[in-house]
Amino acid sequence: MTAVIGLSAVVMAVQDDRTVVLTVREPGQSAGLPFGLFDPDGDRTFELALRRFVTAQTRFDLGYVEQLYTFGDLGRDAPLADTGQKAEDRAARVISVGYLGLTPQAIDTHARNSYWSDILQFFPWEDWRDGCPAAVAALESPLRLWAGPTPPRLDRIRLLFALDGSPWNEERVLERYELLYEAGLVPEATRDRGETLLTQRALPDSILGEAMISDHRRILATALGRLRGKLKYRPVIFEMMAPEFTLSALQRAVEAVVGMTLHKQNFRRALERTDLVEGLGRRDQDTGGRPAELFRFRREVLGTRPVSGLSLPLLRDEASET
Amino acid sequence: MTAVIGLSAVVMAVQDDRTVVLTVREPGQSAGLPFGLFDPDGDRTFELALRRFVTAQTRFDLGYVEQLYTFGDLGRDAPLADTGQKAEDRAARVISVGYLGLTPQAIDTHARNSYWSDILQFFPWEDWRDGCPAAVAALESPLRLWAGPTPPRLDRIRLLFALDGSPWNEERVLERYELLYEAGLVPEATRDRGETLLTQRALPDSILGEAMISDHRRILATALGRLRGKLKYRPVIFEMMAPEFTLSALQRAVEAVVGMTLHKQNFRRALERTDLVEGLGRRDQDTGGRPAELFRFRREVLGTRPVSGLSLPLLRDEASET
DNA sequence: TCAAAAGTGTTATCCTTACACCCATGT
DNA sequence: ACATGGGTGTAAGGATAACACTTTTGA
């Protein structure tokens, strides 16, 4: 009646307009998340354990941290830890508790096998900043093939992948990944079933995304979806910003996370109303055109009054031709 | 390195304008949530295990279910399962995964020691339908005493308990409970420390709420906060309604969950826009005054298009004199 | 006929959307 | 001077909040 408890960390940052995640890659293997076992006799809390081993594995100190989800299902919904076992082999069942961490500095001491990876490497269909991504276009016909002409599946792919005029919902990252898994399209699906059915012929990683160890891509999808949702009702984006930033840099960071382009002035007007940032009078000279004013996050408002996140006034130009 | 994994279920329903939760009470003990151990060798998924033992313990079949949070901290943040051990005794550490379940029918086969309890029994300060509840008024001075005159704690109690003109935020149920715990006001706090410091003299249960076994009251607080938040962005309230209902009944159900009074017409207008309900032409004769039209939830929209929850147009009459 | 609850109309205000334009700097 | 990004004004439309009012039943 006992189980092993694992902790997985999704540590995210924004770097050059791309959302990146801290990954660990053993030579010759798929990428994975920083992962460690929880020691019930030694660790007082999950969070402390997490901070400890993330620092050990990546020499990186976590800042903002929150619990995501606990993955414990057997079979195709959440396979065993990647020890090469079949799902039927229940010798060493691992329950894994996923955590999300945010940090402003992706540029950091790389230790051993840890790297920052662009999340689009794993979810190429999640970036709509330059209109409908190539991956979605390429996935449309395999998805329709899987769905067939009947409502239940068809409605689902329409809703999740913005087909037939459905609007794109950036938060449903996990549901999209799970659908691709269910459709047997992502490599993990066939891998977890022990090399069984190949429903579709293989598509390149540039469309399906790169596979990860164990159920780490599922955990990553959970994290991205949660972060995208949370931006709107908590000012978490500032956990990913340097202490001083320009409004454009802030907007580009939000865009990188959300994967959509925002309307500049409406973004600023909404931001102004929240009173979350404060101009510093000084300007950033390195922007290319006119120097931009520097701002800082007024962290002090957090304790003082109810704060919501940022509104996301979408730009509907080339960004949507569904 | 192994641990025992427990599953706790918060099953909620609305009954006679009160939000109720399924509790289990051994004679002579505090109330608890339906709780069971997860068997890594026998249970394929958390959810299946949960459904199994909830039915076994309460003869009740779960409908809607979602994972809440995994509680694994030692010490004052989440004590051991209630075996009477001190926090220092780490012999049988239990990690517990909390689940939220919703159901329309609280009136159901009571088995053995299971009962539906009003949540206000555990959180008397959470109901603002008749203005500021007596519990909040009574808690104000002990809280101020604990906070002292300095910003950090003072800001926190103001924000959480709507003091000094702060608006009440119904979602922060967990934070309020944790603050009361931290302040040593709720019985669990002193109990978990092994009968140590009694910061304040005792207040009656009608103000502090009834204690629960282990960390079950913390889990219940998490559930209530999550449900209150979720109502606004997912149509989950319908999981707590009978197939046919009047709009007033729906509004009263939302009010019971949220603990606040809503503006009738604005609630209806907003509901109408969502297209989530459909009039049936028939009327309910038993309302007392004029018969009300019966409606049903258009569950079919769920798969077809993006759906949000209900907006909560608050009524600010007697309901707020903070 | 009156209480009780259902159900409706209307307005002021605010927020969101969308459009077009001006400003400051480096090359 | 002009390209580049920073920064602003304003008007239309829709959602929200707050008013007060009519309708239909049972006692």
Side-chain angles (χ1 to χ4, degrees):
Chain A
M1 288 294 262
T2 63
V4 176
I5 299 193
L7 296 169
S8 316
V10 177
V11 184
M12 286 182 158
V14 173
Q15 187 180 37
D16 307 325
D17 299 349
R18 298 169 313 129
T19 305
V20 293
V21 60
L22 199 52
T23 53
V24 177
R25 191 189 299 265
E26 301 296 328
Q29 276 210 327
S30 297
L33 299 170
F35 178 89
L37 292 182
F38 176 71
D39 173 14
D41 302 320
D43 292 316
R44 242 181 44 83
T45 73
F46 287 153
E47 209 181 296
L48 289 173
L50 186 86
R51 288 178 190 277
R52 179 175 53 66
F53 83 76
V54 168
T55 308
Q57 273 176 44
T58 65
R59 295 216 193 121
F60 184 84
D61 262 319
L62 290 181
Y64 175 95
V65 157
E66 80 174 58
Q67 193 188 105
L68 278 176
Y69 198 83
T70 299
F71 303 83
D73 295 355
L74 254 195
R76 55 178 249 282
D77 282 320
L80 297 169
D82 193 54
T83 48
Q85 301 161 314
K86 298 276 190 306
E88 287 72 31
D89 179 356
R90 299 182 180 176
R93 179 133 180 212
V94 176
I95 273 56
S96 87
V97 184
Y99 270 81
L100 169 65
L102 301 179
T103 166
Q105 356 140 27
I107 334 91
D108 225 287
T109 159
H110 290 325
R112 286 180 298 196
N113 308 316
S114 70
Y115 310 86
W116 291 98
S117 306
D118 191 330
I119 51 161
L120 297 178
Q121 205 174 315
F122 306 109
F123 307 112
W125 55 85
E126 291 291 346
D127 184 9
W128 286 66
R129 284 176 292 180
D130 303 311
C132 178
V136 170
L139 283 169
E140 178 162 355
S141 65
L143 283 173
R144 286 195 189 276
L145 212 113
W146 170 78
T150 47
R153 285 181 169 183
L154 187 58
D155 283 346
R156 219 169 128 219
I157 65 170
R158 277 206 267 246
L159 207 63
L160 291 175
F161 287 91
L163 304 182
D164 303 328
S166 269
W168 177 255
N169 183 336
E170 78 285 354
E171 289 187 37
R172 313 198 137 192
V173 186
L174 178 62
E175 287 163 89
R176 277 187 284 271
Y177 173 73
E178 288 187 331
L179 188 140
L180 292 174
Y181 188 109
E182 211 179 311
L185 286 166
V186 294
E188 286 96 328
T190 52
R191 180 196 73 192
D192 295 345
R193 294 176 205 160
E195 251 70 32
T196 327
L197 15 149
L198 291 188
T199 315
Q200 318 282 344
R201 72 178 159 302
L203 291 169
D205 278 4
S206 61
I207 289 168
L208 292 178
E210 213 182 296
M212 293 181 89
I213 290 218
S214 180
D215 58 349
H216 288 192
R217 202 152 140 213
R218 169 186 305 266
I219 301 178
L220 182 56
T222 307
L224 183 58
R226 182 85 133 250
L227 176 58
R228 285 179 170 181
K230 195 145 192 172
L231 283 187
K232 297 171 195 160
Y233 63 91
R234 279 297 124 91
V236 283
I237 190 65
F238 300 105
E239 310 295 341
M240 311 176 83
M241 303 297 297
E244 303 187 352
F245 49 83
T246 67
L247 294 188
S248 302
L250 180 66
Q251 181 175 341
R252 282 196 308 272
V254 174
E255 290 173 341
V257 169
V258 173
M260 301 208 279
T261 310
L262 305 182
H263 183 117
K264 184 171 58 164
Q265 210 213 325
N266 293 337
F267 175 77
R268 288 174 182 218
R269 204 199 319 279
L271 184 67
E272 211 166 89
R273 259 198 316 277
T274 65
D275 239 42
L276 288 170
V277 298
E278 177 179 71
L280 295 170
R282 284 173 289 124
R283 5 208 108 251
D284 176 4
Q285 302 290 341
D286 311 331
T287 52
R290 168 178 170 177
E293 184 168 6
L294 286 167
F295 286 76
R296 72 173 193 92
F297 174 42
R298 301 184 53 223
R299 195 172 284 276
E300 63 273 17
V301 305
L302 281 185
T304 321
R305 61 173 172 75
V307 282
S308 79
L310 306 180
S311 79
L312 303 184
L314 300 186
L315 198 63
R316 295 219 192 64
D317 284 15
E318 67 270 279
S320 75
E321 53 254 70
T322 50
Chain B
M1 289 294 262
T2 61
V4 176
I5 299 191
L7 295 169
S8 316
V10 178
V11 184
M12 288 182 156
V14 174
Q15 187 178 38
D16 307 325
D17 299 349
R18 300 168 312 130
T19 305
V20 293
V21 60
L22 199 52
T23 54
V24 176
R25 192 188 300 265
E26 300 295 328
Q29 277 211 325
S30 295
L33 299 170
F35 178 89
L37 293 181
F38 176 70
D39 173 15
D41 300 320
D43 292 316
R44 243 179 45 84
T45 74
F46 287 153
E47 209 181 296
L48 288 173
L50 186 86
R51 288 178 190 276
R52 182 174 50 67
F53 83 76
V54 168
T55 307
Q57 272 178 45
T58 67
R59 296 218 191 121
F60 184 82
D61 262 318
L62 290 181
Y64 175 94
V65 156
E66 80 175 58
Q67 194 186 104
L68 277 176
Y69 198 82
T70 299
F71 304 83
D73 295 355
L74 255 196
R76 56 177 248 284
D77 282 322
L80 297 170
D82 192 54
T83 48
Q85 301 160 313
K86 298 277 190 304
E88 287 72 31
D89 180 353
R90 300 184 181 178
R93 180 134 180 213
V94 175
I95 274 57
S96 86
V97 184
Y99 271 80
L100 169 65
L102 302 178
T103 164
Q105 357 140 25
I107 336 90
D108 226 287
T109 159
H110 290 325
R112 285 178 301 197
N113 308 314
S114 70
Y115 310 86
W116 291 98
S117 307
D118 191 329
I119 52 161
L120 296 178
Q121 202 174 316
F122 306 108
F123 308 113
W125 54 86
E126 291 291 346
D127 184 10
W128 287 65
R129 283 176 293 180
D130 303 310
C132 178
V136 169
L139 283 169
E140 176 161 357
S141 65
L143 283 172
R144 287 195 189 277
L145 212 114
W146 170 78
T150 47
R153 283 182 171 183
L154 187 58
D155 283 346
R156 223 170 124 218
I157 64 169
R158 277 207 267 245
L159 207 63
L160 290 176
F161 287 91
L163 305 180
D164 302 329
S166 269
W168 175 257
N169 183 337
E170 80 284 357
E171 290 187 36
R172 311 198 136 192
V173 186
L174 178 62
E175 287 163 89
R176 277 187 283 271
Y177 173 72
E178 287 187 333
L179 188 140
L180 292 174
Y181 189 110
E182 210 178 313
L185 286 167
V186 293
E188 286 97 326
T190 52
R191 179 197 71 192
D192 295 344
R193 293 175 207 160
E195 250 72 29
T196 330
L197 15 150
L198 291 187
T199 317
Q200 319 281 343
R201 73 179 158 305
L203 290 170
D205 278 3
S206 62
I207 289 167
L208 292 178
E210 214 183 296
M212 293 180 89
I213 289 215
S214 181
D215 58 349
H216 288 192
R217 204 155 146 212
R218 168 185 305 267
I219 301 178
L220 183 56
T222 308
L224 183 58
R226 182 85 133 252
L227 177 58
R228 284 178 170 182
K230 194 142 193 175
L231 282 188
K232 297 170 194 158
Y233 63 91
R234 277 299 123 92
V236 283
I237 189 64
F238 300 104
E239 309 294 340
M240 310 177 83
M241 302 299 294
E244 304 188 352
F245 48 84
T246 67
L247 294 188
S248 303
L250 181 66
Q251 180 176 343
R252 282 196 309 272
V254 174
E255 289 173 344
V257 169
V258 173
M260 300 208 283
T261 310
L262 305 182
H263 183 116
K264 183 171 59 163
Q265 209 212 329
N266 292 337
F267 175 77
R268 289 174 182 218
R269 204 199 317 281
L271 184 67
E272 211 167 90
R273 259 198 317 278
T274 64
D275 239 44
L276 287 170
V277 298
E278 178 179 72
L280 294 171
R282 282 173 290 124
R283 356 208 114 252
D284 176 6
Q285 302 290 340
D286 311 332
T287 53
R290 168 177 170 177
E293 184 171 6
L294 286 167
F295 287 76
R296 70 172 194 95
F297 174 41
R298 299 183 55 223
R299 194 172 284 275
E300 62 272 20
V301 305
L302 282 184
T304 320
R305 60 173 173 74
V307 282
S308 81
L310 306 179
S311 80
L312 304 183
L314 300 185
L315 197 63
R316 294 216 193 64
D317 284 14
E318 67 269 281
S320 75
E321 53 254 71
T322 49

